[in-house]
Amino acid sequence: EGLRGLYRKPYRKIADAIREQVRPGLGITVSVGISVNKTLSKMAVEVRKPNGTTVVPGKQIAPLLVKRSQLAR
Protein backbone atom coordinates (compact mmCIF):
# COMPACT_ATOMS: atom_id res chain seq x y z
CA GLU A 1 0.00 0.00 0.00
CA GLY A 2 2.86 2.40 0.63
CA LEU A 3 2.15 6.13 0.81
CA ARG A 4 -1.34 5.77 -0.58
CA GLY A 5 -2.38 3.52 2.30
CA LEU A 6 -0.66 5.73 4.86
CA TYR A 7 -2.18 9.03 3.71
CA ARG A 8 -5.41 7.67 2.17
CA LYS A 9 -5.17 10.07 -0.78
CA PRO A 10 -4.47 9.72 -4.50
CA TYR A 11 -0.78 9.77 -5.43
CA ARG A 12 -1.03 13.18 -7.13
CA LYS A 13 -2.45 14.77 -3.96
CA ILE A 14 0.31 13.20 -1.85
CA ALA A 15 2.98 14.48 -4.26
CA ASP A 16 1.49 17.97 -4.35
CA ALA A 17 1.30 18.09 -0.54
CA ILE A 18 4.97 17.12 -0.29
CA ARG A 19 5.96 19.72 -2.89
CA GLU A 20 4.00 22.42 -1.04
CA GLN A 21 5.81 21.62 2.21
CA VAL A 22 9.32 21.39 0.77
CA ARG A 23 9.46 24.76 -0.99
CA PRO A 24 8.75 27.00 2.01
CA GLY A 25 10.54 24.68 4.42
CA LEU A 26 13.76 24.18 2.46
CA GLY A 27 13.57 26.88 -0.20
CA ILE A 28 13.89 24.45 -3.11
CA THR A 29 11.47 23.21 -5.73
CA VAL A 30 10.57 19.55 -6.18
CA SER A 31 9.37 17.81 -9.32
CA VAL A 32 7.53 14.50 -9.03
CA GLY A 33 6.94 11.76 -11.59
CA ILE A 34 4.44 9.01 -10.81
CA SER A 35 4.03 5.88 -12.92
CA VAL A 36 3.98 2.10 -12.76
CA ASN A 37 7.74 1.75 -12.20
CA LYS A 38 10.85 3.74 -11.32
CA THR A 39 12.09 4.16 -14.90
CA LEU A 40 8.80 5.55 -16.17
CA SER A 41 8.52 7.79 -13.11
CA LYS A 42 11.92 9.26 -13.92
CA MET A 43 10.79 9.91 -17.49
CA ALA A 44 7.57 11.48 -16.23
CA VAL A 45 9.37 13.87 -13.90
CA GLU A 46 11.09 15.48 -16.90
CA VAL A 47 7.73 16.59 -18.33
CA ARG A 48 7.02 19.24 -15.69
CA LYS A 49 10.31 20.54 -14.38
CA PRO A 50 10.80 22.55 -12.29
CA ASN A 51 8.23 22.23 -9.51
CA GLY A 52 5.57 20.07 -11.14
CA THR A 53 3.80 16.74 -10.79
CA THR A 54 3.27 14.34 -13.70
CA VAL A 55 1.22 11.16 -13.43
CA VAL A 56 1.58 8.57 -16.20
CA PRO A 57 -0.92 5.73 -15.80
CA GLY A 58 -0.43 2.48 -17.71
CA LYS A 59 -2.56 3.51 -20.69
CA GLN A 60 -0.46 6.67 -21.24
CA ILE A 61 2.94 4.98 -21.28
CA ALA A 62 3.10 4.57 -25.07
CA PRO A 63 2.39 8.28 -25.78
CA LEU A 64 5.07 9.28 -23.24
CA LEU A 65 7.64 7.02 -24.91
CA VAL A 66 6.74 8.36 -28.36
CA LYS A 67 7.05 11.95 -27.15
CA ARG A 68 10.45 11.27 -25.57
CA SER A 69 11.74 9.55 -28.70
CA GLN A 70 10.70 12.53 -30.84
CA LEU A 71 12.51 14.92 -28.49
CA ALA A 72 15.68 12.83 -28.67
CA ARG A 73 15.97 13.31 -32.43
Side-chain angles (χ1 to χ4, degrees):
E1 289 218 17
L3 285 175
R4 194 168 184 184
L6 180 64
Y7 290 102
R8 307 235 187 275
K9 294 181 181 178
Y11 294 120
R12 177 183 291 278
K13 289 191 182 275
I14 295 168
D16 289 341
I18 292 169
R19 285 183 31 251
E20 290 171 7
Q21 291 178 7
V22 169
R23 187 162 191 174
L26 298 176
I28 60 173
T29 61
V30 176
S31 298
V32 180
I34 302 167
S35 193
V36 296
N37 64 42
K38 183 177 177 179
T39 301
L40 292 170
S41 295
K42 286 184 174 193
M43 288 180 181
V45 78
E46 296 295 325
V47 174
R48 290 204 177 90
K49 271 192 168 183
N51 202 33
T53 301
T54 305
V55 179
V56 181
K59 62 186 175 193
Q60 293 180 354
I61 293 171
L64 174 68
L65 295 175
V66 169
K67 183 178 180 180
R68 288 194 42 93
S69 69
Q70 290 171 345
L71 293 175
R73 292 180 188 176

